[in-house]
Amino acid sequence: MVGDGRVRAGQRGHLVSVDLTVVVVLVVVQLAGSTMADRHQPLAHTHLNWLGYALLVAGPVALYWRRRYPIAVLTAVFGVTVAYLFAGFPYGPVFLALVVAFLTAASAGSRAVPYSVLALGYVIVVWAVPAARSQELPSASMALGVAAWLLVLTAAAELIRQRRTVIRTRRLRAHERARTAEEERRRQATEERLAIARELHDVVGHSLSLINVQSGVALELFDRDTEQARRALAAIKAASRDALVEVHDVLDSIRSGELDAPRTPVPTALEPDELVAPARAAGVEVSVRVVGTPRPLPSRVNLAADRIVREALTNVARHSGGAATVTLTYGPAELAVQVDDAGGFVASPDMRGGNGIPGMRERARALGGDCTAAPLPTGGFRVRATLPVGDRRPEDDA
């Protein structure tokens, strides 16, 4: 923002310098040229006096404000020029200030006033001024010559106007491209943050949930069933070890900028027993049903299926502790993953505001699929995700 302010201030300073230069140059040219015309012009006229010199200076000075008030400046310079001519002072470069004022106004805003001034000026210069000076009216060829010069002036104004339009359009497009690039950068940053949050939740959340369940079992059975408590502690040890490995993998992926790349081997949909092994270790009775013909799947689909099944079974372990059924359905172009709680599901306050179900939905949508999670009318809870398989890409098997 500070840099933009400095650029704008520099541009304003440059424009002020240009305007002052235009004023000084035109004052010098009009004064010198009109003085020469006063001495050598053969036509009868009123010699320059203080009023004539004042009018020659007033027109160029008014141009200093031409960028801010183009129509007002054009009107003022036109009035000064007409007053100069009707006063009978000699012809000369008095028209230069009027030309600059006209080009500025005609190329900056509405054409109505500048072109009306141009037409009125033609009538005044060609007929009104000679009549007021008691001079012979110009010939038809001279009138046509003046009209031709005015047409050239009009063409120049249109060219300047067109050039400004092109420059303005290019700036708008550049600004739009910059804004779009910034929005895309923000969108990618948001997606990366969500991906990181989702990965950490899936890696840490599953393991901590299993550790929490197993630690409760160990505490409950420590004095009554030492062997069962020992198995629970062993499950805690395995879950914490796996969690540490996966956390390190996630951090390495973040550092390398390849968060979506497969890291440690992910259980595939063709190995359902490995897919549900952590839940079984936590004491959940899980049965697996496969519908259709199993086939190799892209690693991204395997990863999404693994995370969704883990999250769903983790919720069973946390909120139900009963049995669950995992159904894998192989369709022609999709894999359907369904996890049913057998009926011991209990809605608890700590389920509200969690990231598990939103994370499952995000994973499914990232592949172009969908995911639903809701209680069943007959009791229990169902999570169902549909994951399009599509064409396998080479990088999926890398």
Side-chain angles (χ1 to χ4, degrees):
M1 296 298 291
V2 175
D4 293 342
R6 291 176 179 174
V7 171
R8 287 194 292 268
Q11 291 175 343
R12 286 195 296 269
H14 173 70
L15 293 178
V16 168
S17 299
V18 170
D19 291 339
L20 287 175
T21 302
V22 170
V23 169
V24 172
V25 170
L26 287 182
V27 165
V28 173
V29 171
Q30 290 198 168
L31 288 177
S34 298
T35 300
M36 294 294 294
D38 186 38
R39 294 177 181 177
H40 304 288
Q41 197 170 96
L43 297 176
H45 61 270
T46 301
H47 289 286
L48 285 173
N49 53 25
W50 66 268
L51 177 59
Y53 285 114
L55 292 174
L56 290 173
V57 172
V61 169
L63 295 178
Y64 179 77
W65 294 276
R66 64 192 173 93
R67 298 183 192 274
R68 184 176 300 180
Y69 311 107
I71 299 300
V73 169
L74 173 61
T75 304
V77 176
F78 179 73
V80 168
T81 305
V82 169
Y84 178 91
L85 295 176
F86 274 107
F89 296 119
Y91 290 97
V94 65
F95 297 102
L96 291 179
L98 184 59
V99 169
V100 174
F102 169 78
L103 291 176
T104 302
S107 60
S110 173
R111 297 179 175 90
V113 174
Y115 290 163
S116 298
V117 169
L118 191 69
L120 181 60
Y122 177 75
V123 173
I124 291 175
V125 170
V126 174
W127 290 290
V129 171
R133 292 187 174 193
S134 301
Q135 296 174 349
E136 183 180 354
L137 295 178
S139 63
S141 60
M142 184 176 295
L144 289 176
V146 174
W149 278 109
L150 294 182
L151 288 177
V152 171
L153 193 61
T154 302
E158 290 299 322
L159 288 175
I160 295 174
R161 188 185 190 94
Q162 182 64 25
R163 181 175 178 274
R164 288 184 176 179
T165 301
V166 171
I167 293 175
R168 188 182 304 111
T169 301
R170 289 177 179 174
R171 288 176 179 174
L172 289 176
R173 289 177 179 174
H175 177 73
E176 182 66 21
R177 287 194 297 267
R179 186 180 64 83
T180 302
E182 178 64 17
E183 290 179 354
E184 178 65 17
R185 186 190 65 79
R186 292 179 180 178
R187 184 189 64 81
Q188 291 179 354
T190 299
E191 290 181 353
E192 289 176 359
R193 288 195 297 269
L194 290 175
I196 292 172
R198 184 171 60 243
E199 289 295 327
L200 290 178
H201 172 270
D202 290 345
V203 170
V204 179
H206 296 160
S207 299
L208 290 180
S209 296
L210 295 179
I211 289 172
N212 180 63
V213 171
Q214 291 298 322
S215 62
V217 172
L219 289 173
E220 181 70 22
L221 301 177
F222 189 79
D223 294 328
R224 292 182 296 148
D225 191 339
T226 306
E227 185 60 29
Q228 183 66 25
R230 187 186 301 275
R231 286 196 293 270
L233 292 174
I236 291 174
K237 180 179 179 181
S240 60
R241 181 187 63 246
D242 293 341
L244 287 174
V245 172
E246 293 202 40
V247 167
H248 285 303
D249 290 336
V250 171
L251 294 178
D252 290 340
S253 299
I254 293 173
R255 294 190 186 99
S256 64
E258 299 177 353
L259 185 61
D260 292 333
R263 296 174 297 276
T264 54
V266 177
T268 68
L270 297 178
E271 301 171 347
D273 290 334
E274 293 186 22
L275 194 64
V276 301
R280 286 176 174 170
V284 179
E285 296 181 7
V286 184
S287 59
V288 180
R289 191 164 63 99
V290 178
V291 179
T293 303
R295 64 181 185 276
L297 298 172
S299 60
R300 294 177 185 272
V301 178
N302 292 337
L303 178 62
D306 172 71
R307 297 307 193 206
I308 291 172
V309 171
R310 279 198 191 191
E311 179 62 30
L313 292 178
T314 298
N315 287 337
V316 172
R318 292 175 57 192
H319 306 293
S320 171
T325 301
V326 176
T327 304
L328 305 175
T329 304
Y330 290 85
E334 62 187 21
L335 172 69
V337 178
Q338 181 173 304
V339 180
D340 291 323
D341 183 359
F345 171 81
V346 178
S348 57
D350 61 342
M351 289 185 65
R352 300 175 182 175
N355 296 315
I357 292 177
M360 290 189 285
R361 289 173 177 161
E362 289 173 6
R363 286 190 178 277
R365 290 172 182 169
L367 296 175
D370 60 74
C371 179
T372 59
L376 296 172
T378 57
F381 198 82
R382 171 174 292 174
V383 173
R384 180 176 177 81
T386 302
L387 308 176
V389 175
D391 296 327
R392 297 178 65 200
R393 295 174 295 181
E395 62 267 28
D396 290 327
D397 297 324

